[in-house]
Amino acid sequence: MERAAVFDVDGTLADTNHLHVVTWWEAFRQAGHDIPMHAVHRSIGLGSEDLVARLLGERRDKDRDAELSAAHKALYAQYFDRLPAFQDAGRLLRRLDHDGWQVVLATSASGPELSALRRAVSADDAITATASADDVEQGKPAPEPVEHALELAGVPPERAVFVGDTVWDMRAGSRAGVRCVGVLCGGIPRRDLEEAGAEAVYDDPAHLLASLDDGPFA
Protein backbone atom coordinates (compact mmCIF):
# COMPACT_ATOMS: atom_id res chain seq x y z
CA MET A 1 0.00 0.00 0.00
CA GLU A 2 1.15 3.53 -0.75
CA ARG A 3 2.60 5.72 2.00
CA ALA A 4 2.56 9.52 2.19
CA ALA A 5 5.14 11.88 3.65
CA VAL A 6 3.35 15.20 4.09
CA PHE A 7 5.44 18.32 4.66
CA ASP A 8 4.81 21.84 5.76
CA VAL A 9 7.18 24.22 3.95
CA ASP A 10 7.80 27.52 5.77
CA GLY A 11 10.05 26.86 8.75
CA THR A 12 10.19 23.16 7.93
CA LEU A 13 11.89 22.92 4.53
CA ALA A 14 12.63 26.63 4.00
CA ASP A 15 14.27 29.00 6.50
CA THR A 16 11.60 31.66 6.13
CA ASN A 17 9.80 32.01 9.47
CA HIS A 18 11.78 35.01 10.60
CA LEU A 19 11.26 36.71 7.24
CA HIS A 20 7.54 36.28 7.83
CA VAL A 21 7.90 37.66 11.36
CA VAL A 22 9.64 40.82 10.17
CA THR A 23 7.31 41.44 7.24
CA TRP A 24 4.16 40.85 9.31
CA TRP A 25 5.56 43.11 12.03
CA GLU A 26 6.16 45.84 9.44
CA ALA A 27 2.69 45.37 7.92
CA PHE A 28 1.14 45.81 11.37
CA ARG A 29 3.38 48.80 12.12
CA GLN A 30 2.37 50.54 8.90
CA ALA A 31 -1.27 50.05 9.88
CA GLY A 32 -0.68 51.60 13.31
CA HIS A 33 -0.47 48.41 15.39
CA ASP A 34 2.34 47.75 17.86
CA ILE A 35 2.65 43.95 17.85
CA PRO A 36 5.73 42.38 19.51
CA MET A 37 7.76 40.18 17.20
CA HIS A 38 7.65 37.26 19.64
CA ALA A 39 3.85 37.30 19.38
CA VAL A 40 4.04 37.33 15.59
CA HIS A 41 6.48 34.42 15.68
CA ARG A 42 4.08 32.31 17.73
CA SER A 43 1.39 32.93 15.11
CA ILE A 44 3.44 32.01 12.03
CA GLY A 45 1.94 28.96 10.36
CA LEU A 46 -1.62 30.21 10.59
CA GLY A 47 -3.37 31.50 7.49
CA SER A 48 -3.40 35.27 7.11
CA GLU A 49 -6.96 35.76 8.36
CA ASP A 50 -6.41 33.60 11.44
CA LEU A 51 -3.04 35.23 12.16
CA VAL A 52 -4.55 38.71 12.11
CA ALA A 53 -7.48 37.61 14.26
CA ARG A 54 -5.17 36.01 16.82
CA LEU A 55 -2.95 39.08 17.10
CA LEU A 56 -5.56 41.84 16.93
CA GLY A 57 -8.59 40.12 18.42
CA GLU A 58 -12.23 40.00 17.43
CA ARG A 59 -12.82 43.69 18.20
CA ARG A 60 -10.47 44.83 15.40
CA ASP A 61 -11.67 46.59 12.23
CA LYS A 62 -12.10 43.46 10.12
CA ASP A 63 -12.49 45.57 6.99
CA ARG A 64 -8.74 46.19 7.18
CA ASP A 65 -7.73 42.51 7.33
CA ALA A 66 -7.25 42.31 3.56
CA GLU A 67 -5.12 45.45 3.64
CA LEU A 68 -2.84 43.94 6.27
CA SER A 69 -2.52 40.70 4.35
CA ALA A 70 -1.72 42.54 1.13
CA ALA A 71 0.94 44.61 2.88
CA HIS A 72 2.58 41.48 4.26
CA LYS A 73 2.53 39.80 0.85
CA ALA A 74 4.11 42.83 -0.81
CA LEU A 75 6.84 43.07 1.82
CA TYR A 76 7.58 39.34 1.80
CA ALA A 77 7.65 39.23 -2.01
CA GLN A 78 10.87 41.24 -1.90
CA TYR A 79 12.62 38.02 -0.82
CA PHE A 80 11.17 35.67 -3.43
CA ASP A 81 14.39 35.49 -5.43
CA ARG A 82 16.51 34.52 -2.42
CA LEU A 83 14.42 32.40 -0.07
CA PRO A 84 16.78 29.94 1.66
CA ALA A 85 16.07 26.23 1.99
CA PHE A 86 17.38 24.39 5.02
CA GLN A 87 20.39 22.16 4.48
CA ASP A 88 19.43 18.80 2.94
CA ALA A 89 15.74 19.72 2.56
CA GLY A 90 15.77 18.65 -1.08
CA ARG A 91 17.82 15.55 -0.34
CA LEU A 92 15.33 14.54 2.34
CA LEU A 93 12.39 14.70 -0.07
CA ARG A 94 14.31 12.80 -2.76
CA ARG A 95 15.35 10.09 -0.30
CA LEU A 96 11.75 9.59 0.83
CA ASP A 97 10.58 9.48 -2.78
CA HIS A 98 13.28 6.94 -3.54
CA ASP A 99 12.16 4.86 -0.55
CA GLY A 100 8.61 4.66 -1.87
CA TRP A 101 6.91 7.52 -0.04
CA GLN A 102 4.60 9.89 -1.88
CA VAL A 103 5.84 13.34 -0.94
CA VAL A 104 3.05 15.92 -0.61
CA LEU A 105 3.32 19.53 0.53
CA ALA A 106 0.65 21.01 2.82
CA THR A 107 1.21 24.73 3.11
CA SER A 108 -0.61 28.00 3.71
CA ALA A 109 1.43 29.52 0.88
CA SER A 110 0.00 29.81 -2.62
CA GLY A 111 0.60 31.41 -6.00
CA PRO A 112 3.95 33.15 -6.58
CA GLU A 113 4.96 32.62 -2.94
CA LEU A 114 4.55 28.86 -3.23
CA SER A 115 6.45 28.87 -6.53
CA ALA A 116 9.32 30.74 -4.86
CA LEU A 117 9.40 28.24 -2.00
CA ARG A 118 9.48 25.29 -4.38
CA ARG A 119 12.34 26.88 -6.29
CA ALA A 120 14.23 27.29 -3.03
CA VAL A 121 13.73 23.68 -1.97
CA SER A 122 14.54 22.55 -5.52
CA ALA A 123 13.05 19.06 -5.31
CA ASP A 124 10.05 19.20 -7.64
CA ASP A 125 11.06 15.84 -9.12
CA ALA A 126 10.31 14.24 -5.73
CA ILE A 127 7.03 16.05 -4.97
CA THR A 128 3.85 14.19 -5.93
CA ALA A 129 1.34 16.94 -5.14
CA THR A 130 0.74 20.14 -3.19
CA ALA A 131 -2.17 21.16 -0.96
CA SER A 132 -2.02 24.95 -0.84
CA ALA A 133 -4.09 27.68 0.79
CA ASP A 134 -6.13 27.92 -2.42
CA ASP A 135 -7.36 24.34 -2.02
CA VAL A 136 -8.97 24.50 1.43
CA GLU A 137 -11.54 26.56 3.27
CA GLN A 138 -9.84 26.31 6.67
CA GLY A 139 -6.10 26.41 7.25
CA LYS A 140 -4.08 24.90 10.09
CA PRO A 141 -4.72 24.07 12.90
CA ALA A 142 -7.84 22.70 11.21
CA PRO A 143 -7.12 19.25 9.76
CA GLU A 144 -8.32 20.17 6.25
CA PRO A 145 -4.87 20.93 4.72
CA VAL A 146 -3.50 17.56 5.86
CA GLU A 147 -6.68 15.72 4.91
CA HIS A 148 -6.54 17.25 1.43
CA ALA A 149 -2.90 16.21 1.09
CA LEU A 150 -3.90 12.64 1.94
CA GLU A 151 -6.68 12.78 -0.67
CA LEU A 152 -4.18 13.90 -3.29
CA ALA A 153 -1.92 10.99 -2.38
CA GLY A 154 -4.78 8.50 -2.11
CA VAL A 155 -3.47 7.36 1.26
CA PRO A 156 -5.35 6.76 4.55
CA PRO A 157 -4.18 8.60 7.70
CA GLU A 158 -2.58 5.50 9.23
CA ARG A 159 -0.24 5.31 6.21
CA ALA A 160 1.00 8.89 6.51
CA VAL A 161 3.49 10.98 8.46
CA PHE A 162 3.23 14.77 8.66
CA VAL A 163 6.32 16.92 9.27
CA GLY A 164 5.99 20.51 10.49
CA ASP A 165 7.59 23.14 12.69
CA THR A 166 4.69 24.78 14.56
CA VAL A 167 2.07 23.80 17.10
CA TRP A 168 -0.49 24.59 14.38
CA ASP A 169 1.09 21.89 12.20
CA MET A 170 1.07 19.33 15.00
CA ARG A 171 -2.55 20.07 15.89
CA ALA A 172 -3.65 19.85 12.25
CA GLY A 173 -1.86 16.54 11.76
CA SER A 174 -3.19 15.10 15.01
CA ARG A 175 -6.75 16.07 14.12
CA ALA A 176 -6.29 14.46 10.70
CA GLY A 177 -5.23 11.23 12.40
CA VAL A 178 -1.68 11.07 11.06
CA ARG A 179 1.61 10.56 12.90
CA CYS A 180 3.29 13.92 13.50
CA VAL A 181 6.98 14.79 13.40
CA GLY A 182 8.26 18.17 14.56
CA VAL A 183 11.38 20.07 13.58
CA LEU A 184 12.99 22.76 15.73
CA CYS A 185 14.33 24.89 12.89
CA GLY A 186 11.19 27.04 12.84
CA GLY A 187 12.01 28.31 16.32
CA ILE A 188 9.28 26.63 18.38
CA PRO A 189 10.43 24.75 21.52
CA ARG A 190 10.50 20.95 21.58
CA ARG A 191 8.08 20.78 24.53
CA ASP A 192 5.47 22.87 22.71
CA LEU A 193 5.65 20.62 19.66
CA GLU A 194 5.39 17.46 21.75
CA GLU A 195 2.42 18.79 23.73
CA ALA A 196 0.69 19.63 20.44
CA GLY A 197 1.09 16.07 19.17
CA ALA A 198 4.62 15.45 17.85
CA GLU A 199 5.72 11.88 18.50
CA ALA A 200 9.29 12.67 17.43
CA VAL A 201 11.21 15.93 17.12
CA TYR A 202 14.36 16.62 15.08
CA ASP A 203 16.60 19.63 14.75
CA ASP A 204 16.05 20.23 11.03
CA PRO A 205 15.73 18.38 7.69
CA ALA A 206 19.37 17.28 7.80
CA HIS A 207 18.85 15.68 11.22
CA LEU A 208 15.67 13.97 10.05
CA LEU A 209 17.43 12.69 6.91
CA ALA A 210 20.20 11.19 9.04
CA SER A 211 17.61 9.54 11.30
CA LEU A 212 15.22 8.03 8.75
CA ASP A 213 16.18 4.45 9.61
CA ASP A 214 15.27 4.87 13.28
CA GLY A 215 12.17 7.08 13.43
CA PRO A 216 8.58 7.24 12.17
CA PHE A 217 9.73 6.83 8.55
CA ALA A 218 11.56 3.56 9.24
Side-chain angles (χ1 to χ4, degrees), residues 21 24 28 35-48 50-56 140 166-168 188:
V21 170
W24 269 116
F28 283 119
I35 305 296
M37 288 195 191
H38 69 84
V40 178
H41 182 215
R42 288 285 185 164
S43 301
I44 298 300
L46 294 172
S48 294
D50 290 333
L51 182 147
V52 172
R54 184 171 190 265
L55 292 172
L56 296 185
K140 306 165 194 170
T166 69
V167 295
W168 319 117
I188 300 302

Side-chain angles (χ1 to χ4, degrees), residues 161-197:
V161 178
F162 177 46
V163 183
D165 68 296
T166 69
V167 295
W168 319 117
D169 291 323
M170 299 302 99
R171 290 175 185 173
S174 296
R175 291 168 181 171
V178 304
R179 302 173 72 185
C180 295
V181 170
V183 287
L184 299 173
C185 46
I188 300 302
R190 176 186 299 271
R191 180 176 178 179
D192 290 5
L193 296 174
E194 290 175 341
E195 289 179 350

